[in-house]
Amino acid sequence: MLVSLNWLKQYVDIHGFTAEELAEKITRSGIEVDAVIDRSQGMTNVVVGYVVSKEKHPDADKLNVCQVEVGEGDVRQIICGAPNVDAGQKVIVALPGARLPGGIKIKKAKMRGQESNGMICSLQELGVEGRVVPKAYADGIYVLPEDAVPGSDALELVGLRDTVLELGLTPNRSDALSMLGVAYEVAAILSREVKLPEVKYETTYEKAEDVLNLRVEAKENPLYAAKVVKNVKIAQSPLWLQHYLMAAGVRPHNNVIDITNYILMEYGQPLHAFDYDALKTKEIVVRLAHEGEKIVTLDDQERNLKAHNLVITNGIEPVAIAGVMGGANSEVTENTTTVVIESAYFEGLSVRRTSKEIGLRSDASARFEKGVDPNRVIPAAERAAQLLAELAGGEVLEGTVLVDELDKTPARVVVSPDFINARLGMKISLEDMLSILNRLQFDVEAANGLLIIDAPTRRQDIKIEEDIVEEIARLYGYDEIPMTLPEGNDQVGGLTPYQAKRRVARNFLEGAGLYQAVTYSLTSEELSQKYALKAEETTKLLMPMSEERSTLRQSLVPHLLESASYNVARNAESVALYEIGSVFLGKTAEDLPYEEEHVAVVVTGKWVDNAWLGEKVNADFFIVKGILEGLFEKLGLQNRISYAKSTVDGLHPGQTADIFLDGEKVGIIGGLHPVERKNLDLKDTFIAELNLKAILTATGEELVYTPVPRFPAMTRDIALELDRAVPAGEIIDIIRKAGTKLLKGVNVFDVYEGEKMAPGKKSVAFSLTYFDPERTLTDEEVVNAHEKVLKALVETGAEVR
Amino acid sequence: MEQQLKQLEQEALAKIEAASNLKELNDVRVAYLGKKGPITDLLKGMGKLSPEERPKMGALVNTVRENVTNQLEARITILEEQAIQEQLEKESIDVTLPGRKIRTGNRHPLTRVIEEIEDLFLSMGYEIAEGPEVEKDYYNFEALNLPKGHPARDMQDTFYITEETLLRTHTSPVQARTMEAKKGEPIRIICPGKVFRRDNDDATHSHQFMQIEGLVIGENIRMSDLKGTLDALAKRMFGEEREIRLRPSFFPFTEPSVEVDVSCHKCGGTGCNVCKQTGWIEILGAGMVHPNVLEMAGYDSKKLSGFAFGIGAERIAMLKYGVDDIRHFYTNDIRFLSQFHRTEE
Ligand SMILES: [Zn+2]
């Protein structure tokens, strides 16, 4: 909403405050002022000029040499290229030294050899938006009325000595979608009076109801008022009205249209003007459209109507889509003489639905959607009649053609001052509360410790006690509210075990050298299941903005790889990232996808790079595995985790494993497949993804101290020759099983595959640790235990070297 | 004999002096003091001397022995010191060369902001509530006083999955779910999480972002409690000297509703580019929980009241750290992420 202060002054006294001060007060007490716009934009030396003569420029087809009087006896030559400039016009002249919007400075100049002492201006050159400039002047200079005085301030004359407040209205404050609504608000803030326009006009003996029949056949239209005005002379509106409209962002057309727009802005009540003769039937019938019925609207578009669209008809065919747009068949034209003015209450939901379907949102439909003031519908029609008489020479027929079943009673709210103070944590006196409510022009009565309030119908946002709390607080001043903290808390608060462990996991992963990444949950359908631990039914958006963000992901890996690739493309030598986030799987009973929190890791490039020390380690499988093992150990799960070789699309078939917790699959780890690496322009790259939810909800072993061993441990080494395909993990399992309770640790300390081995063979060396916490072991005991292990190994076919 | 002894002594001392390492010294020791050395030989030859001469010679031999031994030891000490000196020199390093890097990562700046806020509220006895990112229309809108067709639904464009399910547009549905689960009991929670809006990604918009909302419900929860709580939050995030101010606003789920400004941390309130010369920066929206929201979740709005607030993690991080483009939070450029390694101040 654009509020011209010149216009606002017609209804409320704002003297004593600068525009900025007023804006600050309005913002602090309820409605945000987004901008304070000085329409003069600091322009100077812009005056009225009289074009004494116009001649063609001798050397330029499109230029005219004008002699312009810009003050008594002060005639200057000005070159003008506008097609509509002519002798005898009063025009806007920017004199040399003038500064115009956009940093333009006017200087004396020669144009094709002819001197020019200034510029004849269009409204656009004065900073008026092209879309609101009247069509007649849209492509040329603006022509002033004949009585303009040369040399006087032109900005005053075109309404640019004005300041406009741009209001950022929240949906609840539709009352401020009108100048009167803003006036009430400002009056309440400043404790001043509101001056309503005085509506008086003469009527003819002829009665409106004798020339117009009205029927309303739809409950979506509880109030319809029509005025009939005869002998209207279609012409330009007076300048003041045009300027108010332009300040409000509306383009002037002709007096009838301008009057409806003016009242739309003044009262917040949309009006529509029909050409009475074009209606043909002397009848208006409001009804729901027939399915498939058609209407050509004012913008010359043919619209297909549905059975729930509310239409105004002439009893035969639609002449307007109610509250949205008029029809071309009943449009007011230059030849119109009799006008029907419609002022109605159309239900917001109906207008909203129709305007959305048709794709037409206008100042009018926006106001209907939010709900117009029931008590301003008929006054707006009266105001229109008055202005048509005053500004278009019309003769108003007596009476209003009316169907009125609208409830116009104000909402009653009963609230106790104690409640208000309790909600606010304040001690505002009853007197202060009453004073605020009076300033707001709320009808209030204090009785039995209660405030009985009838809120005016223009304030449709006032319905409940809390609304009154807000009104009192905002006008009393939010700065006056003290600062306290909630009392009476018996909740201890704190992180849940899951949340605490998640923080532990984050700390661990960061300590292990990984940066936390955050990527998007939405991905393409193609990537949504790639690398997924378990692919299930995907969740897709109904109307995605792009295919790239159309589906919810089932793995964190694809976007992490994209991030890795992004960094490598920018010359990062080493990228190590992790992300914690949800994946979206299948459906639950609630018809929502099952959301599972996962953690994923990606490592690429150099892991260790101490160049001057000659130490370089590239990313490999065991770096990532080591990180996971560390995490499992941190969570006390190391003895319940196992790995098994596996294949996953996109991962290297020889470098991929599934990860199990107590035998349940909870993750994958692997090297990126060479083809994928090539696609993403990555070198050796390794990833892992874990079902974090499963891992953090698995209860680890209770943390109880075990005594530090007081007796020495003994170690024995075993070297085995194995088939290359035999996993070391299997051998460790065999050793663990065969070892007696004295065996406390098994460690791989050497793996060799090379020329010294037979083809297809490898050598793996294990170090076994034996000890007894209670005593020193004898050699014999260790030998016995170790023999059992060796025997078990031999039985499986391993060759002990 | 005496002369012979003196000569030996001279010879030995000269060799000791000449020895340049411990091995040579050892050779000298063996040669002169050893069991097969000349001094031992001399001692053995003492039997040929007269009894009067013997003690005199004995004393002399011992003196020589002692003298040679002392010199030998002194020389050993010197050589040992030299050897250590040499070792130290050989082992000395350029201490200005860089150390072996310890690999560390760090938290994402958004997590950093969220954890900081979480920790503040945890210390005030709050719990952290979480909920699904795909939500039912009911919890995201209807339970929050936003029935179908409500004009305020236009305020946030929504990614729908079906007519009835959607990507949550705020973390408020977690509040709605918590209220439903708590069945009328008091509540003190904050709800951090990812939220989604139909926006084209650019420097200031992101279709996915992080929100942290807070909800307190109890007996006699007042607007002054909201103001005090948000003041603590502003001071924690932007510094002890910060002040807040409330401006009236509108949210369907709160009444009264406010926008909250914090005094500019860059200029202290005198006006600068960050605060667009106003001295104030809008940081969050808040209000007293709307009675419809309480009633819908089964709370008696006459007995209990509450406040709620919602804050954007990106906005806080952008203001706090001067980040100029919201997309930085989602591209995961290491050169960006690694800047959030250090402590503040
Ligand atoms: Zn500032």
Side-chain angles (χ1 to χ4, degrees):
Chain A
M1 177 80 185
L2 298 171
V3 177
S4 148
L5 293 187
N6 283 350
W7 192 354
L8 183 67
K9 279 179 211 162
Q10 311 301 315
Y11 316 110
V12 63
D13 177 9
I14 54 172
H15 88 265
F17 299 95
T18 66
E20 283 73 21
E21 285 165 354
L22 192 62
E24 173 74 7
K25 280 182 174 292
I26 294 173
T27 295
R28 293 305 309 283
S29 52
I31 296 169
E32 190 162 357
V33 177
D34 286 340
V36 178
I37 305 158
D38 173 7
R39 298 198 77 212
S40 75
Q41 298 187 51
M43 284 184 276
T44 53
N45 288 330
V46 180
V47 299
V48 176
Y50 172 64
V51 184
V52 180
S53 67
K54 180 188 91 166
E55 278 162 33
K56 278 253 167 266
H57 190 291
D59 299 316
D61 275 356
K62 290 188 174 164
L63 294 181
N64 295 302
V65 181
C66 302
Q67 302 303 323
V68 184
E69 186 194 341
V70 293
E72 224 176 305
D74 184 356
V75 178
R76 302 186 183 191
Q77 173 167 306
I78 297 175
I79 310 298
C80 179
N84 63 332
V85 69
D86 213 344
Q89 285 173 339
K90 296 280 173 64
V91 294
I92 305 165
V93 176
L95 295 172
R99 283 172 185 281
L100 299 184
I104 295 163
K105 225 178 137 182
I106 304 299
K107 293 181 202 147
K108 275 189 190 177
K110 278 201 170 171
M111 293 173 87
R112 294 271 177 112
Q114 296 291 321
E115 199 170 281
S116 185
N117 295 301
M119 180 169 90
I120 303 179
C121 298
S122 66
L123 284 182
Q124 288 92 324
E125 281 157 341
L126 302 185
V128 178
E129 254 188 291
R131 65 175 186 87
V132 304
V133 173
K135 279 226 173 81
Y137 308 117
D139 301 314
I141 57 161
Y142 189 66
V143 180
L144 297 168
E146 284 170 17
D147 60 359
V149 180
S152 63
D153 181 14
L155 297 180
E156 178 77 49
L157 213 54
V158 293
L160 291 179
R161 292 264 176 237
D162 193 3
T163 302
V164 167
L165 305 185
E166 186 179 348
L167 305 185
L169 290 176
T170 49
N172 58 324
R173 293 304 304 271
S174 56
D175 62 296
L177 279 169
S178 65
M179 295 302 295
L180 285 179
V182 175
Y184 277 109
E185 176 75 9
V186 170
I189 295 167
L190 304 181
S191 286
R192 290 180 182 176
E193 296 294 315
V194 175
K195 269 186 306 201
L196 292 176
E198 204 177 322
V199 179
K200 269 199 306 202
Y201 58 90
E202 311 243 303
T203 57
T204 61
Y205 289 112
E206 199 173 3
K207 286 188 174 150
E209 61 186 37
D210 293 339
V211 301
L212 187 70
N213 230 329
L214 173 66
R215 266 200 339 268
V216 176
E217 298 173 347
K219 61 171 177 24
E220 289 83 354
N221 178 208
L223 168 55
Y224 195 102
K227 286 272 176 192
V228 182
V229 185
K230 279 193 167 171
N231 294 326
V232 166
K233 282 143 219 84
I234 305 290
Q236 263 195 37
S237 305
L239 279 193
W240 63 264
L241 199 160
Q242 292 194 41
H243 296 152
Y244 281 174
L245 287 182
M246 283 194 271
V250 178
R251 170 180 253 164
H253 292 276
N254 61 43
N255 47 8
V256 174
I257 304 296
D258 291 354
I259 286 166
T260 62
N261 283 330
Y262 178 79
I263 295 169
L264 169 72
M265 293 296 163
E266 187 182 44
Y267 280 62
Q269 171 64 43
L271 301 179
H272 186 67
F274 296 101
D275 182 318
Y276 174 81
D277 298 312
L279 285 177
K280 291 179 192 146
T281 56
K282 306 183 180 201
E283 183 171 56
I284 283 180
V285 177
V286 186
R287 61 164 166 82
L288 292 177
H290 307 309
E291 188 74 33
E293 202 170 9
K294 290 181 172 50
I295 179 174
V296 176
T297 43
L298 285 174
D299 52 0
D300 290 326
Q301 302 273 316
E302 189 179 71
R303 313 278 179 177
N304 275 312
L305 298 170
K306 293 188 177 145
H308 55 258
N309 298 142
L310 188 67
V311 289
I312 317 301
T313 73
N314 61 359
I316 301 166
E317 54 174 359
V319 293
I321 305 173
V324 179
M325 197 181 251
N329 52 6
S330 55
E331 189 180 355
V332 170
T333 67
E334 288 168 17
N335 305 319
T336 299
T337 56
T338 304
V339 170
V340 177
I341 293 289
E342 160 199 293
S343 185
Y345 186 100
F346 300 123
E347 269 178 3
L349 279 178
S350 165
V351 172
R352 179 175 152 88
R353 189 172 176 191
T354 301
S355 76
K356 242 186 164 176
E357 277 171 11
I358 293 178
L360 258 178
R361 285 197 87 231
S362 59
D363 283 338
S365 71
R367 283 168 175 79
F368 280 123
E369 279 178 29
K370 285 168 180 150
V372 296
D373 179 357
N375 281 308
R376 238 182 242 164
V377 181
I378 295 169
E382 299 295 345
R383 176 76 165 149
Q386 174 200 15
L387 292 181
L388 283 170
E390 282 177 11
L391 308 176
E395 295 165 23
V396 183
L397 269 60
E398 199 201 312
T400 304
V401 185
L402 187 67
V403 169
D404 184 1
E405 280 159 12
L406 183 61
D407 179 7
K408 296 189 240 359
T409 49
R412 169 158 293 191
V413 182
V414 178
V415 58
S416 79
D418 288 347
F419 177 85
I420 293 171
N421 278 326
R423 278 289 179 275
L424 294 173
M426 297 178 82
K427 292 190 181 76
I428 303 174
S429 70
L430 178 63
E431 288 69 35
D432 285 343
M433 289 188 191
L434 288 172
S435 147
I436 288 168
L437 293 167
N438 284 328
R439 275 156 60 191
L440 285 163
Q441 304 207 18
F442 286 13
D443 199 347
V444 56
E445 196 186 312
N448 305 326
L450 292 172
L451 297 170
I452 300 152
I453 298 159
D454 284 339
T457 49
R458 63 189 154 80
R459 288 296 306 275
Q460 294 189 45
D461 57 321
I462 306 295
K463 293 185 195 105
I464 56 173
E465 290 151 85
E466 283 77 4
D467 296 326
I468 301 297
V469 173
E470 178 164 45
E471 293 301 300
I472 299 283
R474 72 185 183 91
L475 287 170
Y476 194 80
Y478 279 157
D479 287 348
E480 305 304 318
I481 298 179
M483 288 203 242
T484 57
L485 288 175
E487 291 163 359
N489 183 28
D490 50 8
Q491 175 180 305
V492 177
L495 296 170
T496 63
Y498 183 92
Q499 290 163 346
K501 281 202 265 184
R502 183 170 50 200
R503 284 193 176 191
V504 167
R506 275 209 297 256
N507 283 330
F508 178 83
L509 294 170
E510 285 152 19
L514 307 174
Y515 287 100
Q516 188 191 16
V518 180
T519 65
Y520 296 131
S521 300
L522 284 169
T523 189
S524 64
E525 190 172 358
E526 190 195 345
L527 288 181
S528 63
Q529 296 188 313
K530 201 165 184 179
Y531 308 108
L533 292 191
K534 46 188 172 197
E536 292 190 17
E537 187 192 340
T538 54
T539 308
K540 294 194 189 88
L541 296 183
L542 213 49
M543 286 189 302
M545 295 174 76
S546 68
E547 159 50 28
E548 213 190 346
R549 307 262 173 264
S550 64
T551 312
L552 285 162
R553 60 181 171 182
Q554 302 199 337
S555 165
L556 310 181
V557 172
H559 285 170
L560 267 192
L561 285 172
E562 276 175 14
S563 290
S565 183
Y566 175 95
N567 278 291
V568 168
R570 281 153 189 80
N571 300 321
E573 300 233 311
S574 166
V575 183
L577 301 170
Y578 82 94
E579 178 172 12
I580 290 177
S582 288
V583 299
F584 304 82
L585 309 164
K587 267 201 177 65
T588 63
E590 262 194 312
D591 203 33
L592 299 173
Y594 177 69
E595 291 184 27
E596 196 169 80
E597 194 157 54
H598 280 199
V599 58
V601 171
V602 60
V603 174
T604 189
K606 296 196 183 87
W607 178 255
V608 175
D609 183 10
N610 291 306
W612 74 268
L613 292 162
E615 296 169 348
K616 280 186 192 178
V617 178
N618 284 332
D620 68 28
F621 182 91
F622 296 101
I623 286 167
V624 177
K625 190 173 179 191
I627 291 170
L628 298 189
E629 284 170 345
L631 178 63
F632 294 137
E633 210 165 309
K634 192 88 194 165
L635 298 167
L637 301 174
Q638 69 273 25
N639 295 328
R640 293 154 63 183
I641 294 287
S642 57
Y643 299 81
K645 202 168 175 200
S646 150
T647 54
V648 171
D649 271 355
L651 295 184
H652 192 304
Q655 301 180 352
T656 299
D658 286 342
I659 305 167
F660 299 89
L661 169 69
D662 300 333
E664 288 284 322
K665 183 172 165 186
V666 292
I668 54 165
I669 173 171
L672 205 57
H673 195 286
V675 174
E676 297 291 339
R677 294 205 307 248
K678 204 174 155 214
N679 289 342
L680 290 163
D681 226 346
L682 290 170
K683 298 212 177 76
D684 289 355
T685 303
F686 297 85
I687 63 100
E689 177 156 332
L690 299 175
N691 176 347
L692 189 66
K693 193 171 191 171
I695 286 165
L696 297 187
T697 46
T699 36
E701 282 158 41
E702 208 179 333
L703 181 60
V704 181
Y705 155 83
T706 40
V708 176
R710 284 179 297 150
F711 302 97
M714 309 255 230
T715 60
R716 292 287 183 278
D717 296 346
I718 302 172
L720 296 177
E721 187 176 303
L722 300 168
D723 284 344
R724 224 184 137 235
V726 174
E730 269 179 27
I731 305 298
I732 291 173
D733 286 345
I734 293 166
I735 295 174
R736 281 227 175 94
K737 262 184 214 142
T740 60
K741 66 178 184 6
L742 299 180
L743 178 67
K744 293 292 195 290
V746 186
N747 202 19
V748 177
F749 72 89
D750 188 50
V751 178
Y752 178 78
E753 310 171 7
E755 335 171 319
K756 290 179 191 159
M757 301 300 300
K761 296 281 185 185
K762 65 179 174 186
S763 157
V764 184
F766 302 88
S767 162
L768 283 62
T769 306
Y770 296 94
F771 75 83
D772 186 322
E774 303 299 327
R775 62 206 170 81
T776 304
L777 292 178
T778 64
D779 266 351
E780 201 189 344
E781 283 171 310
V782 174
V783 167
N784 283 342
H786 199 61
E787 279 301 325
K788 283 183 187 147
V789 171
L790 290 174
K791 199 172 153 231
L793 288 171
V794 170
E795 274 168 14
T796 64
E799 196 176 318
V800 182
R801 302 176 78 209
Chain B
M1 193 170 177
E2 192 180 328
Q3 202 186 346
Q4 220 180 338
L5 203 57
K6 285 279 180 210
Q7 200 185 332
L8 275 175
E9 186 181 18
Q10 290 309 317
E11 268 177 43
L13 292 180
K15 283 194 177 164
I16 287 167
E17 200 54 42
S20 63
N21 59 42
L22 290 172
K23 186 178 174 300
E24 281 175 38
L25 272 185
N26 199 40
D27 291 346
V28 175
R29 192 177 55 80
V30 172
Y32 289 88
L33 303 177
K35 283 181 179 148
K36 289 172 185 168
I39 293 177
T40 312
D41 283 351
L42 274 179
L43 279 175
K44 282 179 189 160
M46 281 224 313
K48 295 172 190 162
L49 295 176
S50 65
E52 305 85 59
E53 275 182 316
R54 261 184 231 161
K56 196 180 148 208
M57 266 319 279
L60 192 64
V61 168
N62 276 338
T63 310
V64 169
R65 249 180 106 107
E66 225 167 84
N67 205 4
V68 171
T69 305
N70 286 346
Q71 284 299 313
L72 201 66
E73 277 169 4
R75 187 66 188 151
I76 285 173
T77 308
I78 288 168
L79 283 183
E80 273 177 353
E81 272 170 11
Q82 269 177 12
I84 283 177
Q85 213 51 47
E86 275 166 30
Q87 188 189 358
L88 290 178
E89 245 154 68
K90 219 165 43 185
E91 289 174 357
S92 74
I93 53 169
D94 179 354
V95 297
T96 64
L97 283 167
R100 243 182 208 87
K101 269 177 244 140
I102 304 287
R103 260 203 97 96
T104 53
N106 55 257
R107 264 178 201 44
H108 193 281
L110 294 177
T111 311
R112 186 175 171 136
V113 164
I114 290 169
E115 271 191 10
E116 207 173 334
I117 295 174
E118 282 179 355
D119 288 344
L120 170 68
F121 284 97
L122 288 169
S123 75
M124 297 198 285
Y126 286 58
E127 287 171 352
I128 298 172
E130 295 170 275
E133 290 165 36
V134 180
E135 260 297 0
K136 301 190 86 67
D137 183 278
Y138 176 78
Y139 290 112
N140 195 75
F141 288 128
E142 285 174 50
L144 300 167
N145 203 26
L146 272 157
K148 290 213 167 80
H150 192 288
R153 280 199 184 196
D154 280 354
M155 286 166 83
Q156 34 201 349
D157 253 7
T158 309
F159 285 118
Y160 276 91
I161 308 279
T162 66
E163 289 259 307
E164 293 299 331
T165 59
L166 44 80
L167 296 187
R168 65 180 178 191
T169 58
H170 43 197
T171 57
S172 314
V174 182
Q175 303 185 5
R177 282 176 180 271
T178 305
M179 281 190 263
E180 198 178 77
K182 289 263 187 172
K183 296 191 193 315
E185 291 299 308
I187 293 177
R188 248 177 229 219
I189 51 167
I190 57 165
C191 320
K194 291 172 185 159
V195 301
F196 305 83
R197 307 243 171 118
R198 284 184 79 89
D199 264 326
N200 283 308
D201 297 337
D202 62 23
T204 52
H205 297 85
S206 183
H207 75 276
Q208 175 182 323
F209 56 101
M210 301 268 198
Q211 224 188 16
I212 309 140
E213 294 193 6
L215 173 70
V216 173
I217 296 178
E219 273 177 38
N220 195 29
I221 297 297
R222 306 154 293 184
M223 202 149 164
S224 57
D225 298 330
L226 171 64
K227 199 172 171 186
T229 302
L230 295 179
D231 186 63
L233 174 62
K235 286 182 162 58
R236 167 66 69 98
M237 298 312 288
F238 294 104
E240 274 307 309
E241 317 80 56
R242 297 285 76 77
E243 285 171 18
I244 60 162
R245 69 173 195 187
L246 310 185
R247 278 183 294 110
S249 187
F250 170 75
F251 306 107
F253 24 89
T254 47
E255 184 69 36
S257 302
V258 290
E259 308 255 27
V260 181
D261 298 336
V262 62
S263 59
C264 180
H265 58 289
K266 265 274 142 56
C267 63
T270 53
C272 70
N273 285 339
V274 174
C275 58
K276 295 182 191 120
Q277 310 305 330
T278 63
W280 296 94
I281 300 171
E282 185 183 321
I283 54 162
L284 59 88
M288 302 302 290
V289 181
H290 197 289
N292 290 0
V293 174
L294 291 170
E295 296 287 343
M296 237 179 300
Y299 282 76
D300 182 346
S301 69
K302 293 279 169 281
K303 283 199 185 131
L304 295 175
S305 55
F307 67 71
F309 60 88
I311 188 165
E314 281 84 354
R315 176 153 177 79
I316 298 300
M318 287 171 96
L319 285 171
K320 208 165 145 69
Y321 305 122
V323 177
D324 55 357
D325 190 327
I326 199 169
R327 287 168 294 198
H328 282 311
F329 296 114
Y330 295 94
T331 36
N332 301 303
D333 192 317
I334 302 266
R335 295 166 297 181
F336 174 77
L337 294 179
S338 60
Q339 291 181 37
F340 300 92
H341 193 70
R342 48 174 293 246
T343 54
E344 277 165 48
E345 287 155 35

